Amino acid sequence: MKQITDAPFEGDSVHPSESLRFGAFLAPYHPLNADPALQLRRDIDLMEHLDHLGFDEAWMGEHHSTGAEIVPAPDVFIAAAAERTQRLRFGTGVVSLPYDHPLVTVDRITQLDLQTRGRLIFGTGPGKIPLDAHMMGIAPSDQRRRQGEALEAILALLRGDVVNMSTDRARQGSDRTVQGAQEHSLHRSAPPQPERKLLKRELREPSSITKDR
């Protein structure tokens, strides 16, 4: 049999068998009457099997209200699965940004990137299921705006910039983080880079605080 060595596209020197990559996405869906502890263990075992098969990526979703999708914290799942795998990269599919404070999101993702030794893919979204948002006091029609607002703050923090902004999510948690117009500076280590930088965030809140949850 003649071996095919031609590249699939003109000017592309990569062999077809070398250019193909494999990935998997899990919501994950499970029967409502199944033992959730066993199902989570099964999903982690699946990650180990995908790593053994040579898959490149595995993505885990975030859901809160459906019952069948039993992973509300993909970062926690990924932390456990990363300890059982060697080369598989893990994606958050997705972290729903309107549901959490931007600083908390950055802290958790940075820690996870360190624990996985750079095997993390940070995927974000506004949240797909309207009931999830409704249970958190967020109007589904407002989720995409909040996604963009939070992502702006998150990207700035990951760059090491000083962030001084007010977001809906920050106002929701302001009674725990900021009192009136008082400023707080929060410091933490940045993700692994050739030169580590110190991330600093300054939060400024109005004296009147509106909570929608």
Side-chain angles (χ1 to χ4, degrees):
M1 179 181 295
K2 181 179 179 180
Q3 183 178 7
I4 300 176
T5 57
D6 294 336
F9 302 104
E10 184 178 355
D12 190 347
S13 60
V14 179
H15 190 277
S17 63
E18 297 175 350
S19 63
L20 193 60
R21 299 289 184 267
F22 292 91
F25 169 79
L26 281 78
Y29 298 106
H30 293 296
L32 293 175
N33 60 350
D35 184 329
L38 293 178
Q39 297 304 314
L40 286 171
R41 179 54 54 186
R42 172 187 175 276
D43 290 335
I44 293 175
D45 289 343
L46 177 59
M47 297 298 104
E48 189 173 18
H49 188 54
L50 292 176
D51 188 56
H52 177 73
L53 291 175
F55 273 60
D56 294 278
E57 301 173 0
W59 295 73
M60 179 59 64
E62 173 188 339
H63 303 96
H64 299 272
S65 62
T66 64
E69 299 161 295
I70 60 173
V71 175
D75 55 331
V76 175
F77 178 91
I78 290 171
E83 295 298 315
R84 299 269 299 272
T85 56
Q86 299 297 321
R87 58 176 300 277
L88 188 65
R89 300 185 68 196
F90 293 97
T92 57
V94 297
V95 171
S96 300
L97 297 187
Y99 302 159
D100 292 296
H101 194 294
L103 179 62
V104 174
T105 299
V106 170
D107 280 340
R108 293 173 70 93
I109 290 301
T110 300
Q111 178 182 341
L112 187 57
D113 184 60
L114 293 170
Q115 287 185 213
T116 61
R117 298 185 179 182
R119 288 190 286 148
L120 177 67
I121 306 170
F122 180 32
T124 73
K128 176 184 177 182
I129 302 174
L131 184 57
D132 284 357
H134 177 73
M135 293 174 66
M136 299 181 192
I138 300 172
S141 60
D142 202 29
Q143 285 179 261
R144 291 193 178 276
R145 181 188 65 80
R146 290 180 179 234
Q147 151 81 5
E149 191 177 67
L151 187 59
E152 180 183 354
I154 287 170
L155 292 177
L157 285 169
L158 290 174
R159 287 194 301 266
D161 298 342
V162 173
V163 179
N164 184 5
M165 63 186 296
S166 175
T167 69
D168 285 331
R169 190 61 186 86
R171 283 196 294 272
Q172 289 175 5
S174 56
D175 59 327
R176 297 186 297 274
T177 56
V178 179
Q179 299 296 328
Q182 182 181 3
E183 293 185 3
H184 289 248
S185 297
L186 304 177
H187 300 76
R188 62 171 191 72
S189 297
Q193 308 222 350
E195 294 183 3
R196 287 177 178 257
K197 295 187 293 183
L198 191 66
L199 299 192
K200 177 182 179 182
R201 174 173 181 144
E202 295 181 357
L203 297 176
R204 184 187 296 274
E205 292 297 324
S207 56
S208 60
I209 299 171
T210 302
K211 296 177 66 177
D212 58 2
R213 59 174 294 181

